[in-house]
């Protein structure tokens, strides 16, 4: 079974919660193994709310890491306090540093690991650039070369050159992190751009009594709503493991990010180990598939 680590800007948009529920459903069905969740944002409810969502799925034993170095970022966290109530005994002190968790999960894994990133890339970049420590004498680059099969990243826009997208550009740290990962990650990367998910509204089948319903309400100022599906689309593509099979056309391309602005650039290049994707089906295809999994 393929193993995954999830990186998330948990507490920003609510589609991260949808994505974690989707991953949980595959994990529990024995179709994918979630090794841990590394959060690249931080506020008082970060760890408790991730543990809370995992608890609602019966996945109490999944490792959670938090990047406490970014507690200064202005986080819009309307749903976190609600999910924290499902893990009242947890605080950020119960979560390992997210860079250490990336390193530990990679070092301890016997086989290859794939990483799904649906948030900012500064934490993953720090893991990539990390030195050896008490977990492993290997550098982050050595751990990536040995253990990371592939990165799946929701980030960038591929409709025109120099576009800015939230995950690559929201904070100075995010711009630098995206620049480093695009430039230096030694493994293949497939990117799902903003334009892919921006019209794909899922969760309209989620009903009252489901904690995800409350999360969606929190996100939309108390009004139940569906949500665009950038993060669950990325995770579903990663778990299916093949872009074409997941309903996309994939194009090998170089991808770069301006470290100052977060603007991204791309160029079709058959020799590149990076890929960008376009949809092969109407939006309803992805909506129906995701809604059926998360219900
Ligand atoms: Ca996200």
């Amino acid at each position: 079974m393929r193993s995954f680590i999830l990186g998330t800007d948990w507490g920003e948009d609510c589609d991260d919660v949808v994505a974690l529920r989707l991953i949980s459903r595959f994990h529990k069905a024995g179709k994918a193994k979630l090794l841990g969740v590394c959060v690249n944002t931080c506020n008082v409810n970060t760890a408790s709310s991730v543990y809370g969502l995992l608890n609602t799925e019966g996945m109490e034993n999944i490792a959670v890491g938090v990047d406490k170095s970014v507690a200064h970022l202005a986080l819009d966290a309307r749903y976190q306090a609600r999910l924290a109530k499902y893990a009242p005994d947890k605080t950020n002190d119960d979560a390992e540093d997210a860079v250490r968790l990336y390193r530990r999960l990679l070092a301890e894994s016997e086989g290859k690991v794939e990483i799904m990133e649906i948030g900012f890339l500064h934490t993953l970049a720090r893991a990539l650039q990390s030195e050896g420590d008490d977990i492993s004498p290997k550098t982050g680059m050595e751990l990536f070369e040995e253990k990371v099969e592939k990165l799946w990243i929701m980030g960038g826009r591929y409709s025109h050159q120099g576009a800015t997208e939230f995950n690559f550009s929201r904070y100075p740290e995010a711009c630098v992190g995206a620049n480093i990962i695009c430039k230096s990650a030694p493994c293949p990367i497939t990117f799902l751009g903003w334009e892919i998910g921006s019209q794909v509204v899922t969760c309209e089948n989620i009903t009252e009594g489901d904690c995800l319903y409350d999360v969606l309400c929190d996100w939309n100022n108390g009004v139940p709503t569906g949500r665009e599906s950038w993060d669950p689309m990325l995770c579903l593509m990663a778990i299916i493991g093949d872009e074409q099979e997941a309903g996309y056309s994939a194009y090998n391309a170089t991808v770069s990010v301006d470290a100052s602005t977060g603007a991204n650039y791309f160029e079709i290049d058959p020799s590149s180990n990076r890929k960008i994707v376009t949809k092969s089906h109407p939006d309803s295809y992805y909506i129906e598939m995701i809604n059926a999994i998360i219900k």
Side-chain angles (χ1 to χ4, degrees):
M1 193 190 319
R2 291 159 60 226
S3 298
F4 294 90
I5 302 171
L6 176 69
T8 165
D9 60 329
W10 189 265
E12 295 273 8
D13 204 318
C14 63
D15 64 327
D16 297 74
V17 182
V18 182
L20 185 51
R21 169 171 286 191
L22 180 142
I23 296 165
S24 298
R25 299 296 162 89
F26 283 98
H27 178 93
K28 290 190 290 185
K31 295 179 178 174
K33 185 173 186 184
L34 179 63
L35 300 176
V37 180
C38 294
V39 188
N40 44 69
T41 51
C42 180
N43 73 4
V44 66
N45 289 318
T46 296
S48 53
S49 57
V50 177
Y51 281 120
L53 192 280
L54 290 169
N55 285 351
T56 67
E57 293 291 326
M59 292 171 57
E60 293 84 356
N61 297 323
I62 302 296
V64 176
V66 176
D67 187 345
K68 296 165 195 173
S69 76
V70 290
H72 59 284
L73 301 183
L75 190 60
D76 183 352
R78 279 169 271 186
Y79 58 79
Q80 282 186 304
R82 182 187 298 278
L83 289 177
K85 292 174 183 168
Y86 295 99
D89 58 329
K90 296 289 191 183
T91 71
N92 285 345
D93 291 340
D94 296 300
E96 196 167 11
D97 170 72
V99 171
R100 282 183 62 84
L101 184 55
Y102 276 121
R103 287 184 54 81
R104 188 167 66 78
L105 293 174
L106 293 180
E108 291 179 353
S109 177
E110 291 185 3
K112 293 275 192 175
V113 174
E114 293 168 67
I115 301 178
M116 302 180 275
E117 286 290 335
I118 55 174
F120 309 121
L121 293 173
H122 46 247
T123 310
L124 189 68
R126 285 176 50 222
L128 178 64
Q129 295 183 325
S130 60
E131 298 296 328
D133 58 11
D134 57 310
I135 294 169
S136 167
K138 293 178 179 169
T139 65
M141 184 62 78
E142 289 168 338
L143 286 172
F144 269 64
E145 288 172 345
E146 184 182 327
K147 295 292 180 66
V148 180
E149 178 81 18
K150 180 162 181 167
L151 289 179
W152 304 84
I153 293 176
M154 193 278 121
R157 289 176 73 168
Y158 305 94
S159 50
H160 59 283
Q161 302 294 338
T164 52
E165 176 276 330
F166 189 85
N167 286 352
F168 283 0
S169 67
R170 174 66 181 88
Y171 302 106
E173 292 87 342
C175 300
V176 173
N179 170 274
I180 291 167
I181 291 298
C182 291
K183 189 170 52 186
S184 305
C187 54
I189 307 177
T190 291
F191 297 89
L192 184 141
W194 179 88
E195 69 283 357
I196 301 295
S198 63
Q199 304 294 323
V200 181
V201 176
T202 57
C203 297
E204 289 178 326
N205 62 330
I206 300 298
T207 53
E208 206 164 353
D210 182 331
C211 69
L212 185 54
Y213 179 91
D214 298 324
V215 167
L216 293 158
C217 285
D218 288 341
W219 177 254
N220 198 40
N221 297 313
V223 181
T225 179
R227 186 61 185 146
E228 285 86 343
S229 303
W230 303 279
D231 293 353
M233 290 179 85
L234 183 279
C235 293
L236 182 56
M237 177 168 65
I239 289 171
I240 291 172
D242 178 273
E243 295 87 353
Q244 283 77 19
E245 196 180 322
Y248 300 88
S249 297
Y251 306 88
N252 290 79
T254 58
V255 174
S256 61
V257 175
D258 186 307
S260 300
T261 65
N264 70 274
Y265 301 85
F266 57 99
E267 188 171 343
I268 299 299
D269 178 353
S271 69
S272 175
N273 67 350
R274 278 51 167 146
K275 290 180 183 174
I276 58 177
V277 297
T278 58
K279 288 178 282 193
S280 304
H281 302 287
D283 290 342
S284 59
Y285 174 86
Y286 310 92
I287 293 169
E288 289 169 14
M289 192 157 37
I290 291 171
N291 279 348
I293 296 165
I294 63 173
K295 177 67 178 166

